[in-house]
Amino acid sequence: MTRIFSGIKPTGHMTLGNYLGALRRWVETDQHRADALFSVVDLHALTVEHDPARVRRLSRQAATLMLAAGLDPERCTLFVQSHVDEHARLSYLLECTAADGELRRMIQYKEKSTRAQAAGEGVRLSLLTYPVLMAADILAYGTDEVPVGDDQTQHVELTRDLAVRFNQRYGHTFTVPKATRPPVAARVMDLQDPDSKMGKSHESGAGIVYLLDEADLVRKKIMRAVTDSGREVEYDPEGRPGLANLLEILAACTEGNPVELAGVYESYGALKRDTADAVVELLKPVRARHAALAADAGYVDEVLRKGADRARGMARPRVDAAYAAIGLLPR
Ligand code: AQP
């Protein structure tokens, strides 16, 4: 059976980008067709300035939202990354497989280190090395497919390179995984800055729809989305990114096609109104289930405990095999 792994890091409140680019697909397809593991990858949240209490809060919130969106613990394994030591154990071996230069080329490292420096913050070494930890997250489980948004495909490419290199040097140990992307909305853009990705850790929330935003606020953010001074509604991601972003969001919410949808609208206002309605409808059940689950922290903790037990059992044999293959004395 196909093995799937993917994760969300608790660096901020989950966004529409996380939902359309990743979570929704995990719920609607991946958990039904594969042996799937989904993780709150909390160790990744420590790569930038962080508040310990906030990371803890966001980790529980992310797990609760994953359940609220429809992940079913009977069908998939849901767990917190730091509860399974195998990730960090394997990460070190992969650091011994990776080269400094290939990590410095990572786009997320370049963008986030530039942002940290501009804010007068130090750049943590883990910001450079975390794609290796992500490779460990994936490779520990013999993963075949990694369903991610566009921004993570470079990291999955690195994971593939490390798996191939490790296998060549030390004997076949890892499955070489591939990234899978959603058909539309693989990169939802910021509504106020359509040249930048909608990112949960961005400072200003005006261009970001959070899954737990009230319906009125969602409407307001979408109605105020930056577009352009044109009049015709057409799908042109290069030339008219704000408009294309709205068409992609609407297409993702309604199972439509952005090019065809462009032909349906004669004004930006009507497109924004329908997009806002579609997003509100899509998120309504998630918000309602989140409210119910948030009142039952014991249930969420139990799901995470069982998930970690199951994940540990799956990861340990492969990580032990990697330790043996690389030349370490068995315990
Ligand atoms: N804007 C987006 N459009 C489509 N997919 C997206 N994803 C993230 N943003 C978008 C996908 O969501 C999954 C979980 O992302 P992550 O938690 O690993 O963090 P990230 O990719 O670094 O994205 P964020 O939300 O913008 O976090 P910050 O601001 O902390 O960097 C991934 O599959 C991702 O592709």
Side-chain angles (χ1 to χ4, degrees):
M1 196 179 195
T2 304
R3 173 76 52 93
I4 284 181
F5 176 93
S6 202
I8 286 191
K9 65 177 190 284
T11 39
H13 297 285
M14 231 187 266
T15 72
L16 184 65
N18 299 130
Y19 188 69
L20 296 180
L23 180 55
R24 186 172 152 199
R25 222 167 11 128
W26 304 349
V27 169
E28 290 179 0
T29 348
D30 296 332
Q31 68 172 343
H32 300 285
R33 69 180 179 88
D35 180 7
L37 296 108
F38 300 110
S39 184
V40 178
V41 285
D42 53 350
L43 296 173
H44 293 280
L46 312 184
T47 55
V48 288
E49 286 286 318
H50 77 285
D51 166 18
R54 184 166 186 264
V55 168
R56 218 171 286 129
R57 221 170 34 241
L58 288 172
S59 296
R60 177 169 281 110
Q61 187 190 76
T64 309
L65 269 170
M66 287 156 92
L67 290 167
L71 285 185
D72 175 356
E74 299 298 320
R75 286 189 180 276
C76 66
T77 304
L78 174 60
F79 69 103
V80 174
Q81 178 195 32
S82 66
H83 294 177
V84 180
D85 295 343
E86 272 56 37
H87 295 241
R89 276 181 75 211
L90 180 56
S91 184
Y92 182 71
L93 299 198
L94 296 177
E95 279 185 22
C96 299
T97 311
D100 174 75
E102 63 191 338
L103 291 176
R104 290 189 194 278
R105 279 198 295 277
M106 294 293 121
I107 294 163
Q108 288 227 5
Y109 171 69
K110 289 189 195 165
E111 287 178 356
K112 288 185 178 168
S113 57
T114 307
R115 227 189 291 156
Q117 275 159 339
E121 294 166 2
V123 178
R124 297 183 180 184
L125 181 59
S126 55
L127 187 64
L128 178 66
T129 57
Y130 94 89
V132 176
L133 176 59
M134 178 169 157
D137 300 338
I138 296 165
L139 297 181
Y141 296 99
T143 302
D144 301 293
E145 292 181 18
V146 191
V148 282
D150 262 1
D151 62 321
Q152 290 294 341
T153 47
Q154 193 189 27
H155 292 161
V156 181
E157 278 306 309
L158 173 75
T159 303
R160 290 169 58 84
D161 291 346
L162 295 180
V164 169
R165 198 175 304 153
F166 191 100
N167 288 347
Q168 278 170 353
R169 284 186 190 161
Y170 309 114
H172 186 81
T173 310
F174 298 119
T175 304
V176 181
K178 66 168 197 262
T180 60
R181 66 195 291 283
V184 279
R187 183 180 291 258
V188 178
M189 308 308 276
D190 189 297
L191 297 170
Q192 288 300 314
D193 176 13
D195 291 321
S196 305
K197 184 190 78 151
M198 187 182 280
K200 66 171 113 59
S201 62
H202 293 183
E203 294 281 294
S204 158
I208 303 170
V209 173
Y210 298 104
L211 299 192
L212 294 179
D213 277 347
E214 300 279 348
D216 283 353
L217 185 56
V218 172
R219 281 212 171 79
K220 201 182 286 173
K221 287 178 177 177
I222 294 176
M223 292 309 291
R224 288 185 183 162
V226 168
T227 46
D228 53 57
S229 56
R231 283 177 174 272
E232 303 250 304
V233 177
E234 59 173 7
Y235 180 66
D236 173 10
E238 292 288 311
R240 305 172 74 184
L243 198 55
N245 193 33
L246 290 171
L247 287 164
E248 289 222 13
I249 292 171
L250 181 60
C253 293
T254 58
E255 317 267 316
N257 171 308
V259 179
E260 285 168 17
L261 282 170
V264 171
Y265 288 93
E266 292 189 346
S267 78
Y268 290 10
L271 170 64
K272 285 182 175 177
R273 258 191 310 279
D274 282 3
T275 305
D277 286 346
V279 172
V280 166
E281 277 310 302
L282 189 73
L283 299 186
K284 200 191 282 176
V286 180
R287 280 170 44 81
R289 280 198 298 267
H290 176 270
L293 284 165
D296 191 358
Y299 169 74
V300 177
D301 287 349
E302 184 60 9
V303 167
L304 295 177
R305 197 187 53 72
K306 284 192 183 147
D309 285 348
R310 208 183 308 159
R312 211 173 291 120
M314 289 190 219
R316 191 164 288 166
R318 191 167 290 94
V319 176
D320 284 348
Y323 266 66
I326 207 167
L328 300 171
L329 205 55
R331 289 190 250 197

